[in-house]
Amino acid sequence: MVRDIHRRGHEIGSHGMTHVPNNRLDNDGLVYEISESKKQLESVIGGEVLGYRASSYSISERVLEEIHRSGYRYDSSFTPVKGNGLYGSLKPEAIGEFEKKGLREFAVPTGKFMGKTIPFAGGTYFRILPIWFLKKQIENLEQEILIMYFHPGDFDSRLPKWKELPTKYRLRHCMGIRGNDKKFIKLLTWLQKGNYEFKRLRDLI
């Protein structure tokens, strides 16, 4: 499937080997997570994998160093919001230093609501927020590039409800799935009519 997606012109990037947050890994585990995933994907598609995104956005300067060492050309793991213990953080100076080395950082977009910085660009946030609110955030986006992210489970209402899980986890993984595919198509149509350009990140570095 991955090979076929690549042949159709889509970009293949790495999301790691195990989806364990990077801040829970020792040095050997980090190398395996970042470097080995790149090697295995490249063996499948027969081409170079340039991009990486950390599981749960668990990015740090230590992680960026391994991303750079492994030969990636860009990362898209930095989400500049507070309040989520899984998300990592990067100082602007660190981003600048790695960009000088040839590693570009494509931050995940954030929006504003009642004076606070909020995520909106995919996953649970996209499912639960109304489409008019999403459009407003995109129109007021401060960064030049809109990057959105989705998981297969964001569109599959046949997934089990995991009743044994705590309520907050069931809401996070199940809320808003029904009709999310139609919402996604509506937003794509709106973007197309607004003359937004659709590009692979590898074409922007």
Side-chain angles (χ1 to χ4, degrees):
M1 180 184 291
V2 173
R3 189 179 294 114
D4 184 53
I5 291 171
H6 178 255
R7 285 173 178 167
R8 290 170 182 251
H10 298 283
E11 181 174 2
I12 301 298
S14 170
H15 195 40
M17 292 291 292
T18 67
H19 211 264
V20 174
N22 290 321
N23 52 19
R24 299 178 183 173
L25 299 171
D26 60 18
N27 288 338
D28 289 341
L30 190 65
V31 170
Y32 174 74
E33 196 73 23
I34 295 174
S35 181
E36 184 63 25
S37 61
K38 186 177 193 294
K39 292 175 184 176
Q40 292 201 21
L41 285 170
E42 289 176 342
S43 71
V44 170
I45 66 175
E48 190 176 9
V49 170
L50 302 182
Y52 175 80
R53 171 167 287 168
S55 64
S56 302
Y57 302 107
S58 51
I59 193 67
S60 65
E61 291 181 38
R62 168 179 172 252
V63 176
L64 270 188
E65 187 61 56
E66 181 57 33
I67 295 169
H68 176 256
R69 191 200 67 79
S70 296
Y72 291 92
R73 295 285 308 284
Y74 73 84
D75 172 68
S76 184
S77 305
F78 180 45
T79 306
V81 295
K82 298 179 180 179
N84 190 318
L86 291 175
Y87 291 3
S89 62
L90 291 173
K91 295 179 180 179
E93 310 89 74
I95 294 174
E97 285 302 312
F98 277 99
E99 291 198 344
K100 289 178 184 177
K101 298 178 183 179
L103 181 66
R104 177 89 181 266
E105 181 65 38
F106 291 106
V108 179
T110 56
K112 295 288 185 182
F113 182 66
M114 298 182 67
K116 295 185 179 296
T117 301
I118 61 165
F120 73 90
T124 304
Y125 309 108
F126 182 89
R127 295 198 315 266
I128 66 176
L129 293 171
I131 193 167
W132 65 264
F133 185 85
L134 295 169
K135 291 178 179 178
K136 194 69 175 177
Q137 296 303 318
I138 293 171
E139 288 174 338
N140 295 331
L141 196 64
E142 294 179 358
Q143 65 190 67
E144 183 180 355
I145 301 170
L146 170 66
I147 302 170
M148 306 194 77
Y149 64 94
F150 302 93
H151 315 87
D154 289 323
F155 303 100
D156 191 352
S157 59
R158 300 169 299 175
L159 289 174
K161 303 303 180 185
W162 300 303
K163 293 182 179 180
E164 67 278 9
L165 291 177
T167 300
K168 67 176 182 178
Y169 290 106
R170 283 191 281 115
L171 289 174
R172 176 184 172 188
H173 292 291
C174 302
M175 188 175 181
I177 292 177
R178 189 180 301 276
N180 198 42
D181 53 346
K182 295 178 181 177
K183 181 181 184 179
F184 175 66
I185 292 171
K186 284 182 179 178
L187 188 73
L188 282 183
T189 302
W190 176 76
L191 290 169
Q192 289 172 331
K193 290 181 178 179
N195 294 320
Y196 285 84
E197 291 185 82
F198 293 78
K199 291 183 177 291
R200 302 177 304 178
L201 289 181
R202 70 186 301 130
D203 297 326
L204 300 177
I205 56 178

